[in-house]
Structures are given as C-alpha cells and as structure tokens.
Amino acid sequence: MSGKEFKSGFVAIVGRPNVGKSTLLNHIVGEKVAIMSNKAQTTRNKIQGIYTTDDEQIVFIDTPGIHKPHNSLGDFMVKSALSALHEADAIWFVVNADEERGRGDDFIIERLKEVSGTPIYLVINKIDLVHPNDLLPIMESYREALDWNEIFPISARSGANVPELLETVAKELTAGPQYFPADQITDHPERFVIGELIREKILQLTSQEVPHSVAVVIEKIERETEQKVQIQATIVVERPGQKSIIIGKQGAVIKQVGIRARKDIERLLGDRVNLQLWVKVEDRWLDKPQALQSYGYSEEDY
C-alpha cells in the first residue's frame, strides 16, 4: 500500500449489444474474463472484472447488451443488465463512435434517468473507426440527451484514453475495503470462465443462427497428472441441425472449437489441458426456466 487511504467501488458497464463492453473490460484487467465476438449479445451474465492498484480496487460489472428480448433467456439478460444500474457506484454507458444514436440508446438513457445520485459517464468507443470531425456530432447528440458527469471518446481495442477514463472514475471512489485479493481479476469460478471460452469459439466458428441457441456445461474438471488437467464439456443446442453445424463435416468445426478453446484454457490455468467436447440437443431450452437455471442463467442472479 502507498500510505493513502484505500478506496474501492463498483462500476457498471452498460450499452447496446456489440458496442465493445467486453473488449473494454478485458483491456482494463489485462486478461480475457469476458468473451468477445462480432455477434451481438455475446455476454449473457453480469461478469465482474477486478482492477486493483496500491491505492484502489474497482470491480467492473460487464452487463449483457440491452435489447428487445425474444425469449426467456433474453428476458434474463435484460433484467440482469438493468439491475446493475442500481448496484454500482458509477456507470459507464458505452456507445459506438461509428453509429448514430438510435432507439436502443434512447431506451437505455431513459433507464439511466431513473438512477439517482450515481455518476454516469458517456464512453464513446471505437474512435479509431471515425475521423475526428465525425466524432463531434455524435458527442453533441448525446450531450443533449443527459447531463453526463463526463464524456470520454476511447478505443477499447487500442486502449486510447482508457487510462484517463480509469483515473477519472478512481477519483470518484470513497474509502472502502479491498474486496478481492490483488492478483484476482474476476469473481467467477474457473468452471464458468472455461465454459465461456468454449462458447466464444463456437460464436467465432459457426453461422448466425447457432450462437444464441448454445449453452456450455462443464461436466468435469479433473487433474490427470501434476501438469495436465482433463476437462469434459457438453455443448447444448435447440435443434438437430444446429448440432450438425457445430460438429461440422467429419467433425471439422468441433475440432477447431476444441483446439482454440484449449489454448485459452491452458493460458488461464497455466497447465496442459485435455479437452473433450460433446454436443446435446435440448428442444427450446431458451424458454425453459429449469433449463436456464441449470445452465447458469438464474433470476436469483439479479
């Protein structure tokens, strides 16, 4: 410790799907704790990332993208995201620099207006994709919508202006405990993160219709030797056709899922990994409360 009074707090990261919330969180903590893909609604649970220095600890809540839900899983995701607004000491509302303000953004802004006394920052991400002159109209459009504490144009991918954003929110923190050990970067157990890493590879490798129908269940994590861990996981989908897509011709797709996921899991665990994957069909699991709960999407979480 530096001798200063230690400060801590919780920051909620909210926004529409696919605006870069998970990329921003991963950049801050320096590891992949939230999965990323170019497909919307990648994040399903509130994923906490932990940033600790000698003087402060900031616990970030990366929420699912707020969208119009089409099934029970969608309802869970939106309720989960909105509940974070009332749990945080500060809120980052993330939007895209290369997109005009839309109805989805306005919906979130209306929810933000219901939050009382919490500092709210507008974070305009992906500034590397636009000319600086094109950024000004976007900033003005949002400036008139809400009385933001500050507006930060950033690039989560390159890290541009992220240190300044962190420094500003750290000043808002009050004296508080260190909730987690200094070397811990997420509150989720390894089993959850491993399942998310596998799901990320499925999102990256499969077609548009499959990703939102996929859940990953970690059946077993067992140490085979001092340097090797055996992991067995079941990939759950809604329809036989989706199972065929994930397996691929002669097993090519699921083999690639396994190869890519194993690399990230080995980086996470610091051990060699033997990863075994199976695919199971469960009809309409996205609308079954019991299935949602068993796959980790429980209303108890919010």
Side-chain angles (χ1 to χ4, degrees):
M1 298 287 179
S2 66
K4 295 181 184 177
E5 187 175 41
F6 194 81
K7 303 197 298 185
S8 60
F10 292 77
V11 175
I13 308 176
V14 300
R16 289 185 296 104
N18 216 23
V19 293
K21 301 183 298 296
S22 297
T23 305
L24 176 58
L25 177 65
N26 291 339
H27 178 86
I28 289 169
V29 302
E31 290 283 349
K32 185 183 288 183
V33 297
I35 70 171
M36 301 179 293
S37 86
N38 60 0
K39 298 180 174 68
Q41 302 165 29
T42 300
T43 301
R44 287 178 175 171
N45 301 72
K46 291 182 294 187
I47 295 176
Q48 292 192 332
I50 304 157
Y51 171 81
T52 308
T53 70
D54 289 341
D55 300 317
E56 71 252 347
Q57 183 170 84
I58 307 173
V59 182
F60 290 97
I61 306 169
D62 174 30
T63 62
I66 298 173
H67 62 286
K68 184 177 180 179
H70 299 290
N71 49 48
S72 297
L73 176 61
D75 287 335
F76 164 83
M77 291 164 64
V78 172
K79 288 177 182 177
S80 177
L82 293 176
S83 72
L85 301 181
H86 304 284
E87 300 170 2
D89 300 299
I91 298 168
W92 290 354
F93 174 40
V94 183
V95 301
N96 279 345
D98 61 340
E99 294 180 4
E100 293 184 358
R101 190 177 116 208
R103 285 185 298 177
D105 299 302
D106 289 339
F107 173 80
I108 299 171
I109 289 169
E110 290 305 309
R111 303 289 82 74
L112 293 174
K113 289 177 180 177
E114 298 170 4
V115 178
S116 176
T118 303
I120 303 175
Y121 300 87
L122 176 66
V123 180
I124 303 178
N125 189 26
K126 305 184 184 181
I127 59 171
D128 47 318
L129 301 182
V130 300
H131 190 277
N133 291 341
D134 297 328
L135 186 58
L136 294 174
I138 293 287
M139 293 177 70
E140 287 304 317
S141 169
Y142 282 100
R143 187 174 278 121
E144 66 187 27
L146 194 71
D147 185 18
W148 312 99
N149 280 66
E150 280 196 53
I151 297 176
F152 278 91
I154 69 155
S155 169
R157 193 169 297 280
S158 72
N161 294 336
V162 174
E164 291 79 4
L165 176 61
L166 271 172
E167 185 179 343
T168 299
V169 80
K171 291 176 183 175
E172 294 281 352
L173 300 178
T174 56
Q178 182 173 313
Y179 294 100
F180 300 95
D183 60 350
Q184 186 172 339
I185 59 169
T186 182
D187 72 328
H188 279 295
E190 285 178 347
R191 182 177 292 265
F192 172 86
V193 179
I194 289 168
E196 287 290 274
L197 291 173
I198 295 168
R199 192 165 67 88
E200 177 186 55
K201 308 314 171 193
I202 297 167
L203 295 178
Q204 291 172 350
L205 289 165
T206 58
S207 62
Q208 194 66 36
E209 77 164 298
V210 173
H212 306 313
S213 302
V214 169
V216 177
V217 181
I218 304 300
E219 309 287 0
K220 183 169 84 169
I221 301 178
E222 189 175 84
R223 184 164 291 281
E224 283 186 353
T225 66
E226 196 171 322
Q227 288 87 28
K228 193 166 189 179
V229 177
Q230 183 184 50
I231 298 173
Q232 296 177 351
T234 300
I235 300 164
V236 184
V237 294
E238 284 195 298
R239 296 189 295 276
Q242 295 167 339
K243 178 178 179 178
S244 299
I245 291 171
I246 288 176
I247 293 174
K249 190 174 182 180
Q250 297 181 328
V253 175
I254 198 166
K255 181 179 178 181
Q256 279 302 309
V257 169
I259 290 170
R260 295 187 186 189
R262 190 180 69 248
K263 287 180 181 177
D264 276 356
I265 296 167
E266 287 180 338
R267 195 176 299 118
L268 173 73
L269 301 181
D271 285 304
R272 290 171 58 216
V273 168
N274 175 20
L275 178 61
Q276 297 177 318
L277 300 175
W278 290 271
V279 185
K280 179 180 86 170
V281 177
E282 181 167 348
D283 184 51
R284 296 185 59 79
W285 73 263
L286 286 88
D287 278 315
K288 295 178 180 176
Q290 189 172 353
L292 288 171
Q293 187 161 4
S294 66
Y295 300 152
Y297 308 114
S298 168
E299 291 201 7
E300 294 173 5
D301 293 336
Y302 55 80

